[in-house]
Amino acid sequence: MDQAEVLQRAREAGVQLVFFLYCDNGGIIRGKSTHISGLESRLNTGIGLTVAMQAMSDMDMLQSVEGMGPVGEIRLVPDPNTFTVLPYNPKRAVMLADMVRLDRSPWEACPRTFLKRMIARAADAGLTIQAAFEPEWTLAVKEGDSFVPCDDSLCFSSVGATTAQGVIDDLVSSLDAQGLQVEQYYPELGHGQQELTIRHSDALRAADNQILYRETVRNVAWQHGFYASFAPKPFADQAGNGCHIHFSAWDQAGERNLFFEPQDALNLSGIAYNFIGGVLEHLPGLVALTCPSVNSYRRLAPGSWSSAFVCYGPDNREAALRVPSLFWGDEMASSNLELKPSDSSANPYLALGGLIAAGLDGVDRGLQPAEGLRVDVDPATLSADQLAARGIQRLPSNLGEAIAALENDRVLLDALAPTLAGSYLAIRRADRDLFSNNDTAFELKHHFYKF
Ligand code: GLU
Ligand code: MG
C-alpha cells in the first residue's frame, strides 16, 4: 500500500484518529495519533517522540541511559503497508511505526528496524523466515482491586468455550477483518485462559501481527467488560500464558521450506539442525529477549509445559525447542520449529530478531545440537547426573540470570548493536531490581494488565 492509498482508505472509512504504534524496550505498546486532517503530512513527517522513551521502564520510570535524556527527538514514521482500520473501533486506525532520526536514517534503538536487519541477514544467507506467534491469554474481571479469572473451566472444555463466546466471536470477526487469519481456538488449561492462533507469515508481518493481536484482544475483551491479560503468569496458581514462536526458513521464492527433509528421522534438514544448534547455544541469553519480564520466570518452571531446560525433542512440550509433527498431506509446508520459552511480555520485534540472529549463527558456524540435547522424555524426570552427562542446562530461573547470560552473549549483543542492547538491558535491570525489592502480590499486580 502506498501513502495515497492509505489516505484514500482512511477517508473512505471515516477514520478520525490514526495511531502510530511502536513496541518499546519494556514490551509496552505505545504510540501517538494524528487527526485525519493531519494524516497526509504526518505520513511523511512522522510524529515526534522524545529519545527518552526507549529509556522508559515498563513502570514509567526513566532509566539513566546515555543519549536518552530530556534532550533529543526522533520521529515515529508509519509503514504504509501496516495501515489498518480497527474493526472494533472504526473511527480509529493504526499503523506500525519505525523510529527514525531527524536526518531520516533509522534510529539504532528501533526494535522494528532491528528485526528488519535480521531479516535482511537471513536473506543474505538465502533464507526467508516465516513465523507465527502463538499467544495464550487470560480473560478476567475486576472485583474491587483484584482481578479474578472469568471462569473456572477445564482444558479445552466446551464450558469454557461457552463462557467466553461473546468475546471470542467478536474477536474472530475483528481479526479476520484485519487480515490476521485465525487458525484455531480453544479454552486453555488455566481458569479463564484462552488460546486463539493466527496463521504464519513473513517475519516482519508476524511481529506486526502480534502487536495488532494484543491490541485487538485487549480492546474486544474491554468492550465486553473483561480484562484480557497477556501476563506470563497472571495467577500464581494457574497455568502460565506462553507465546510460543513457530518458525521455518524458506527459499527466496517462498516455494520450498528449507527445514523439511523427508529422509531424516525427524524430517528436518541440515539447515534446521543448524538453527536448533544456534538457538540452543544462545538460549540462556535469548530468553532475556523472549521471556523478558520478572513474571516470565514464574511461568518457566519444570512441569508447566512451558519448558525449563535447554534441549529439543519431537512433540516434546517440555523441551525448549519442540519439533512439531507434520500435517498429513502438507508435510513440506508444515515443517517448523517451536520455541516454547517465549511469552507476550516480549517485544515481538526483539524476540523474533534475536531468534533469527541465534539461528543464523548456527547456520554460519554449521552448528549441530549435541546428541544428548535431543530429549524424548520430560527432562524434569532426568536426574541431575543424567542432565549433566547429556549437557542439558536448566534455563535461567529468574530475570537476573537471563540478563547475565545476555550480557555475556557476544553474538546477540552484536546483532542488537550497542544503542539498542544498552537501552534494553537498562530497562531489564530496572525491572529486576524493582521487583526483587517487592513481594509476589506486587509483581502479579504490575504485570497483569500491561501487555
Ligand atoms: N501454557 C503453556 C505455556 O506456558 C503451554 C501449554 C501448551 O500449549 O502446550 O507455555
Ligand atoms: Mg497452548
Side-chain angles (χ1 to χ4, degrees):
M1 207 183 317
D2 61 18
Q3 292 187 354
E5 269 176 271
V6 168
L7 267 180
Q8 193 190 341
R9 285 181 52 185
R11 285 178 183 146
E12 277 171 12
V15 163
Q16 294 180 166
L17 294 176
V18 181
F19 281 78
F20 297 176
L21 296 182
Y22 68 96
C23 189
D24 73 5
N25 275 332
I28 309 297
I29 303 172
R30 306 189 194 242
K32 291 184 174 181
S33 72
T34 173
H35 186 264
I36 183 77
S37 58
L39 182 62
E40 185 166 12
S41 77
R42 292 296 184 180
L43 288 173
N44 285 308
T45 63
I47 297 184
L49 188 76
T50 156
V51 288
M53 287 312 287
Q54 274 294 65
M56 187 72 107
S57 82
D58 43 81
M59 297 291 284
D60 266 1
M61 293 172 180
L62 189 59
Q63 301 305 302
S64 155
V65 176
E66 204 192 320
M68 294 188 190
V71 183
E73 171 108 346
I74 51 125
R75 296 282 184 265
L76 290 175
V77 178
D79 180 341
N81 285 319
T82 64
F83 176 80
T84 312
V85 180
L86 299 176
Y88 50 85
N89 184 351
K91 289 184 175 162
R92 294 182 176 193
V94 297
M95 300 178 78
L96 282 319
D98 292 319
M99 298 170 166
V100 178
R101 298 160 69 105
L102 298 187
D103 66 4
R104 294 180 188 268
S105 61
W107 192 34
E108 294 84 345
C110 174
R112 194 166 183 268
T113 304
F114 163 66
L115 175 57
K116 288 192 210 171
R117 223 169 51 237
M118 295 307 109
I119 291 169
R121 244 191 216 186
D124 287 344
L127 307 175
T128 306
I129 305 299
Q130 286 279 314
F133 288 81
E134 188 187 276
E136 297 169 329
W137 41 278
T138 302
L139 266 185
V141 291
K142 212 166 187 184
E143 285 181 1
D145 255 359
S146 318
F147 292 106
V148 292
C150 71
D151 65 25
D152 57 0
S153 72
L154 307 175
C155 188
F156 309 151
S157 100
S158 55
V159 170
T162 304
T163 49
Q165 63 183 308
V167 174
I168 297 299
D169 291 346
D170 277 359
L171 185 55
V172 173
S173 315
S174 254
L175 293 168
D176 280 349
Q178 293 172 77
L180 277 72
Q181 198 190 319
V182 174
E183 293 216 310
Q184 292 188 42
Y185 160 68
Y186 34 87
E188 256 283 3
L189 173 64
H191 292 172
Q193 195 180 26
Q194 317 291 329
E195 179 165 334
L196 190 149
T197 57
I198 298 296
R199 189 171 171 74
H200 62 84
S201 41
D202 68 82
L204 184 63
R205 181 72 211 256
D208 286 343
N209 282 352
Q210 167 71 353
I211 303 294
L212 295 175
Y213 182 99
R214 280 165 54 185
E215 287 297 304
T216 307
V217 169
R218 181 165 19 78
N219 276 278
V220 172
W222 175 265
Q223 290 174 350
H224 284 265
F226 293 106
Y227 292 83
S229 176
F230 283 92
K233 194 80 168 171
F235 299 108
D237 62 347
Q238 292 293 322
N241 287 322
C243 184
H244 313 156
I245 304 177
H246 291 263
F247 62 100
S248 53
W250 291 63
D251 64 1
Q252 295 289 56
E255 281 165 7
R256 210 159 59 84
N257 183 347
L258 301 176
F259 273 8
F260 179 60
E261 170 48 66
Q263 304 305 322
D264 174 69
L266 299 183
N267 294 306
L268 291 176
S269 68
I271 288 178
Y273 283 107
N274 294 157
F275 261 80
I276 294 175
V279 170
L280 293 184
E281 178 162 315
H282 294 289
L283 198 53
L286 181 61
V287 292
L289 298 171
T290 59
C291 298
S293 65
V294 167
N295 189 243
S296 295
Y297 295 84
R298 198 175 288 285
R299 163 179 170 257
L300 287 186
S304 306
W305 296 40
S306 56
S307 82
F309 295 92
V310 181
C311 60
Y312 76 102
D315 278 332
N316 188 340
R317 288 184 167 78
E318 281 288 357
L321 275 178
R322 168 180 166 231
V323 183
S325 40
L326 304 177
F327 291 3
W328 293 338
D330 199 17
E331 286 75 6
M332 185 275 284
S334 63
S335 174
N336 74 94
L337 296 170
E338 178 183 30
L339 180 75
K340 303 261 310 178
S342 172
D343 65 55
S344 289
S345 66
N347 176 316
Y349 304 103
L350 298 179
L352 190 51
L355 177 63
I356 295 172
L360 287 180
D361 187 48
V363 174
D364 289 348
R365 292 163 54 207
L367 288 178
Q368 291 289 324
E371 214 174 295
L373 297 185
R374 174 176 162 174
V375 177
D376 292 321
V377 296
D378 178 351
T381 61
L382 301 175
S383 68
D385 285 349
Q386 287 171 319
L387 290 169
R390 297 172 64 155
I392 300 172
Q393 284 172 268
R394 175 75 167 85
L395 277 171
S397 60
N398 58 54
L399 180 59
E401 288 176 20
I403 290 172
L406 180 56
E407 286 168 340
N408 285 314
D409 192 315
R410 233 14 295 159
V411 168
L412 293 179
L413 293 180
D414 286 349
L416 291 163
T419 308
L420 185 54
S423 54
Y424 183 76
L425 282 166
I427 298 300
R428 303 290 36 127
R429 291 186 198 112
D431 263 24
R432 174 198 63 194
D433 297 345
L434 176 74
F435 289 103
S436 67
N437 289 327
N438 283 283
D439 62 8
T440 304
F442 181 87
E443 173 205 313
L444 297 177
K445 176 176 173 196
H446 287 287
H447 286 85
F448 196 91
Y449 199 59
K450 187 170 270 183
F451 303 111

